[in-house]
Amino acid sequence: MAAHLSYGRVNLNILREAARKELREFLDKCAGSKAIVWDEYLTGPFGLIAQYSLLKEHEVEKMFTLKPGRLPAADVKNIIFFVRPKLELMDIIADNVASEDKLRTPRDFHVLFVPRRSLLCEQRLKEKGVLGSLINVDEYILDLIPYDGDLLSMESESAFRECYLENDQTSLYHTAKGLMTLQALYGTIPQIFGKGECARHVANMMLRMKREFAGCQTQILPVFDTLLLLDRNVDLLTPLATQLTYEGLIDEIYSINNGYVKLPPEKFAQKKQGEGEKDLPTEPKKLQLNSAEELYAEIRDKNFNAVGAALSKKAKIISAAFEERHNAKTVGEIKQFVSQLPHMQAARTSLANHTSVAELIKDITTSDAFFDNLTVEQEFMTGVDTDKANTYIEDCIARKDPLIKILRLVCMQSVCNNGLKQKVLDFYKREILQTYGFQHILTLNNLEKAGLLKLQTATRNNYPTIRKTLKLWMEDANEQVASHQFYVLQKAEYVPVCRPTSTGQQGENRITLVFFLGGVTYAEIAALRFLSQMEDGGTEYVIATTKLINGTSFIKSLMERLEVPP
Amino acid sequence: FYVRASYQEGRLDTRMSCLQNAMDEYNKAKNEFNAKATEEEMRLLRFQRRLEEEKGERMVGCSLQDTLHCLLIVGLHKQAEQLYKDFRVPDKRYWWLKLNALAEKEDWEEMEKF
């Protein structure tokens, strides 16, 4: 299952193995049968580290999700809570433990904090009077989780919010720690570049940690040549725009979680021919997406318009390969053909799957609503009428379209116009409050604080100038070749940031680790992969981030949820 | 933050005083837009309460748009009209809303009228 991690230039499987080892050690510390109580948010990321089978080997017999009240009955010796260090979760644990203590046979309770223990939480447990009944309070350091051969994520959803809104640097600390762990395994990264305030913080923290560990330097030949730290708020525009790569669109429409996507089942049901008319599956189809699947690796970063062509080409290749059998004459040839069969069949299934997915997406991308939305986005980016209130946005508000969509567009206009005029900004805000309710005033405040919405202060808008000088926009970019217009934007941004200096390595490609503080989109990943593949680039990129995001989840993380009292 | 507190208050009068506080704070911070928005929200809440007492329609806490929608659905056109003028709702949005509401109700007669 983890094969896809070791494909890339950097074998990220080492990181995964290290994480697994630590988990095993912890599990073995608690002797006897165990039940794990999960903080629900953690199950996804953990699935990428260890499957149930591994846990089972270590006598984990039951698994529950963390809920207030009593624990479900389980005949086990140990109960282990896997939780994030959040105060509200501590209350639930206390509740669980207390109700359990009154009842059955005594058992051992353990708490495992992911990714780090917190004094505040332990204090809370103490106040609740349960710290004494806990045998073990430990931490399981899981910062960077390998997602793919060239992708690491911390999956901390609120990192951007914490850094830019709440001025909370905890996630930066985790980042620095995670990078230290990475360096312990892959050698110290000789060069660090950064852009933005948070990037500087992380770099400073890393330096400090390095000094603390000065004694025990590892002598591993560094795998990464350069580390590039980037603040999300350096480029707020890209995450707001709709992603147009295949993987990006899957994420925009169905949202990819921990490498899996859930799709409506209808399209997949008809595919099973020869099995008779089975009743339609009602469960959503769950599909794992990573570069272990040859076909997916090929098309994921392509512009969606190019995916159809790629799929039909692949279909031809596969059917041609099946035709081969007619030409097989000798026993040897037949043997060879048969040995290839499993591979070919897998390829055929994967083709069928992705054709269905592509059909699903096409239904949406060809709809008028999608097209209108895209047109407006492109108008903003090319600087058409960004000064005035946009009629499309007005209409959307009147129709009461999802608020996130509105916010995304308004923010985009603001970013493209380097802020909105007072009149326009107030108009939008009024419209939103009147339509969606006064409670959203806090969300609007947050967006302003994060710089996504702002008042135009300078008399002139400098975005068009930047756009022209850096050639961010390619008017007639050949979509079939260019995966996304934004790869240009990415590149333009990096040029001032990474000044390549000659290193001792000759002949071989340099490897740069790019860390996005506050999230990265699939389209941006695609752009970097595209750069990796360019022959004259000479650099390969490994991407790390605090969270994989898209415009929707990005805005959502900044929203303030207020329930209207009954 | 008073706004947040106002949403935790179940009772309307305490909620109002929270909002009043919020408004004062906004004024102090010279955040004119937010102060005005808060004031409007208070006006809306008062209007909704009055309506609830008079007509027995539950709509306290709804957004302006939803309130208008509600009013049109139950046929309180005069009140809707008044609200629309009071809060200076842009014409375009109001027509959209009115058409939608009337269509939903299948009140074609009323629709003919305008």
Side-chain angles (χ1 to χ4, degrees):
Chain A
M1 170 263 171
H4 58 283
L5 296 176
S6 39
Y7 284 165
R9 271 286 306 282
V10 180
N11 186 350
L12 295 178
N13 216 2
I14 301 177
L15 185 64
R16 184 169 177 269
E17 278 309 320
R20 284 164 73 102
K21 189 169 147 246
E22 209 168 323
L23 183 64
R24 272 195 292 253
E25 274 167 15
F26 177 81
L27 288 175
D28 287 340
K29 249 195 269 176
C30 329
S33 57
K34 317 169 184 47
I36 296 183
V37 183
W38 289 97
D39 173 351
E40 204 158 3
Y41 184 80
L42 289 174
T43 48
F46 255 85
L48 294 166
I49 298 293
Q51 266 98 8
Y52 185 48
S53 54
L54 179 132
L55 298 176
K56 223 171 182 171
E57 278 167 32
H58 294 267
E59 296 178 86
V60 175
E61 289 176 359
K62 291 260 168 54
M63 306 223 266
F64 312 115
T65 38
L66 189 59
K67 272 192 291 255
R70 278 213 349 241
L71 287 170
D75 189 22
V76 288
K77 188 164 169 293
N78 298 283
I79 293 196
I80 313 174
F81 295 94
F82 277 49
V83 289
R84 287 168 294 165
K86 302 230 163 180
L87 286 180
E88 59 271 24
L89 297 177
M90 295 309 112
D91 296 344
I92 303 181
I93 293 182
D95 196 20
N96 280 178
V97 173
S99 62
E100 202 72 4
D101 265 357
K102 278 183 240 144
L103 278 166
R104 282 166 288 229
T105 45
R107 41 181 90 185
D108 297 347
F109 291 102
H110 311 264
V111 175
L112 191 60
F113 286 113
V114 183
R116 213 145 266 123
R117 64 201 297 171
S118 102
L119 268 178
L120 219 58
C121 287
E122 283 172 43
Q123 191 64 36
R124 183 62 151 258
L125 288 172
K126 203 169 176 182
E127 278 166 26
K128 295 261 167 186
V130 291
L131 194 61
S133 17
L134 300 172
I135 306 281
N136 240 323
V137 178
D138 215 332
E139 58 183 9
Y140 177 63
I141 299 167
L142 182 69
D143 288 317
L144 286 162
I145 307 160
Y147 265 67
D148 215 328
D150 56 356
L151 182 60
L152 299 160
S153 171
M154 292 168 50
E155 281 312 284
S156 102
E157 53 187 338
S158 50
F160 184 84
R161 188 194 171 99
E162 282 168 13
C163 294
Y164 301 98
L165 221 57
E166 293 160 1
N167 247 334
D168 177 350
Q169 293 179 357
T170 320
S171 62
L172 296 183
Y173 175 75
H174 291 323
T175 306
K177 272 284 187 195
L179 284 167
M180 293 310 281
T181 317
L182 201 67
Q183 294 196 35
L185 290 169
Y186 296 98
T188 312
I189 304 170
Q191 295 181 78
I192 301 176
F193 296 107
K195 185 146 179 63
E197 190 67 13
C198 294
R200 217 189 52 222
H201 280 303
V202 173
N204 285 344
M205 279 189 230
M206 284 172 67
L207 281 179
R208 224 175 306 142
M209 290 175 196
K210 201 166 150 192
R211 252 177 270 134
E212 284 167 25
F213 293 109
C216 46
Q217 282 278 8
T218 44
Q219 292 301 320
I220 309 170
L221 194 70
V223 177
F224 298 102
D225 299 290
T226 317
L227 167 65
L228 188 58
L229 295 161
L230 285 176
D231 271 26
R232 179 74 270 172
N233 73 350
V234 168
D235 169 21
L236 291 172
L237 180 58
T238 316
L240 293 173
T242 304
Q243 308 172 61
L244 293 177
T245 61
Y246 181 54
E247 189 169 36
L249 275 169
I250 297 179
D251 187 38
E252 293 277 348
I253 299 170
Y254 299 109
S255 81
I256 302 175
N257 277 317
N258 301 308
Y260 286 93
V261 65
K262 282 185 182 154
L263 297 161
E266 296 82 21
K267 287 264 181 188
F268 296 95
Q270 308 145 7
K271 294 287 159 195
K272 281 188 187 152
Q273 285 165 350
E275 284 180 34
E277 282 299 302
K278 276 194 176 169
D279 40 350
L280 290 172
T282 41
E283 286 277 292
K285 165 107 178 161
K286 212 171 166 196
L287 210 59
Q288 188 178 25
L289 300 172
N290 59 41
S291 56
E293 201 178 333
E294 206 181 308
L295 176 65
Y296 186 62
E298 209 175 292
I299 58 174
R300 67 199 304 185
D301 299 327
K302 280 198 162 68
N303 184 297
F304 185 65
N305 289 342
V307 167
L311 283 176
S312 72
K313 203 173 114 201
K314 195 79 184 177
K316 278 192 199 112
I317 295 174
I318 291 177
S319 55
F322 272 103
E323 284 308 306
E324 289 268 302
R325 69 174 184 271
H326 299 304
N327 306 333
K329 298 261 157 54
T330 65
V331 178
E333 275 171 355
I334 293 174
K335 217 173 191 171
Q336 201 196 350
F337 177 79
V338 172
S339 72
Q340 281 173 348
L341 260 181
H343 178 72
M344 280 161 61
Q345 250 141 14
R348 197 154 71 168
T349 333
S350 121
L351 181 72
N353 277 340
H354 285 289
T355 314
S356 306
V357 176
E359 275 170 24
L360 281 169
I361 292 178
K362 194 146 197 255
D363 289 345
I364 289 170
T365 52
T366 47
S367 68
D368 289 346
F370 185 86
F371 184 75
D372 290 346
N373 197 44
L374 206 63
T375 314
V376 173
E377 282 185 14
Q378 301 201 333
E379 271 174 21
F380 286 158
M381 281 185 278
T382 41
V384 180
D385 283 343
T386 47
D387 241 357
K388 294 180 246 157
N390 184 283
T391 45
Y392 175 71
I393 299 183
E394 245 178 278
D395 293 348
C396 286
I397 298 179
R399 262 177 291 159
K400 216 172 174 194
D401 280 355
L403 177 61
I404 291 185
K405 177 182 166 191
I406 310 288
L407 291 175
R408 212 169 147 172
L409 284 170
V410 174
C411 289
M412 200 163 158
Q413 186 177 2
S414 166
V415 173
C416 286
N417 200 40
N418 191 25
L420 296 167
K421 285 199 178 123
Q422 179 89 56
K423 217 179 79 195
V424 181
L425 184 64
D426 284 359
F427 171 76
Y428 280 141
K429 288 203 306 197
R430 233 177 97 87
E431 288 283 281
I432 289 170
L433 291 185
Q434 287 195 347
T435 309
Y436 297 96
F438 175 72
Q439 66 269 32
H440 297 295
I441 196 167
L442 296 182
T443 300
L444 290 174
N445 266 354
N446 286 351
L447 293 174
E448 283 183 66
K449 220 167 147 192
L452 280 161
L453 266 184
K454 62 180 178 187
L455 200 62
Q456 200 173 35
T457 39
T459 38
R460 256 196 33 217
N461 169 15
N462 57 7
Y463 178 74
T465 341
I466 298 176
R467 177 162 48 81
K468 269 173 212 136
T469 45
L470 295 181
K471 292 203 188 91
L472 296 189
W473 185 265
M474 303 213 324
E475 287 298 341
D476 43 14
N478 184 352
E479 284 180 339
Q480 303 276 328
V481 182
S483 55
H484 195 274
Q485 65 261 44
F486 274 124
Y487 84 88
V488 197
L489 184 134
Q490 294 294 330
K491 212 167 120 195
E493 209 173 84
Y494 295 143
V495 174
V497 190
C498 51
R499 288 151 298 219
T501 43
S502 59
T503 49
Q505 287 187 315
Q506 298 115 346
E508 212 167 298
N509 274 349
R510 294 154 37 78
I511 299 178
T512 299
L513 177 66
V514 187
F515 201 111
F516 287 85
L517 298 161
V520 69
T521 64
Y522 286 101
E524 287 170 303
I525 296 170
L528 282 173
R529 284 189 185 134
F530 180 78
L531 284 181
S532 288
Q533 281 158 16
M534 283 204 317
E535 278 173 22
D536 54 342
T539 312
E540 279 193 40
Y541 296 92
V542 174
I543 303 128
T545 183
T546 47
K547 173 93 176 106
L548 293 161
I549 55 167
N550 59 36
T552 307
S553 61
F554 183 54
I555 296 284
K556 215 179 198 164
S557 77
L558 292 170
M559 282 175 72
E560 211 54 65
R561 254 162 291 267
L562 281 180
E563 291 301 317
V564 178
Chain B
F1 215 160
Y2 291 110
V3 178
R4 199 185 306 262
S6 90
Y7 276 92
Q8 278 151 10
E9 285 301 337
R11 289 189 44 195
L12 201 59
D13 39 354
T14 34
R15 228 174 117 185
M16 285 301 231
S17 67
C18 278
L19 285 175
Q20 182 64 47
N21 284 339
M23 195 173 99
D24 293 345
E25 290 299 317
Y26 278 136
N27 273 326
K28 258 187 242 164
K30 295 220 165 29
N31 191 335
E32 280 170 40
F33 179 85
N34 283 4
K36 204 157 164 288
T38 315
E39 195 207 319
E40 279 187 5
E41 168 71 3
M42 287 165 67
R43 244 171 52 212
L44 180 66
L45 281 173
R46 261 184 236 125
F47 181 89
Q48 286 168 339
R49 185 166 50 174
R50 218 175 43 238
L51 211 70
E52 201 171 296
E53 283 160 6
E54 286 167 16
K55 313 275 176 196
E57 297 289 338
R58 278 198 53 80
M59 49 183 66
V60 172
C62 288
S63 73
L64 180 60
Q65 184 92 345
D66 295 339
T67 313
L68 283 168
H69 190 82
C70 259
L71 287 174
L72 290 171
I73 290 282
V74 294
L76 295 168
H77 293 281
K78 227 175 72 204
Q79 278 85 347
E81 207 71 26
Q82 187 202 338
L83 213 54
Y84 150 69
K85 279 188 198 118
D86 277 3
F87 286 87
R88 291 188 289 117
V89 177
D91 291 350
K92 194 165 158 190
R93 183 149 60 87
Y94 186 63
W95 297 140
W96 254 104
L97 175 73
K98 191 153 180 180
L99 279 176
N100 265 337
L102 292 180
E104 198 175 305
K105 218 175 100 185
E106 300 187 0
D107 185 349
W108 310 116
E109 258 171 56
E110 191 68 32
M111 216 188 266
E112 291 286 332
K113 265 193 249 168
F114 83 21

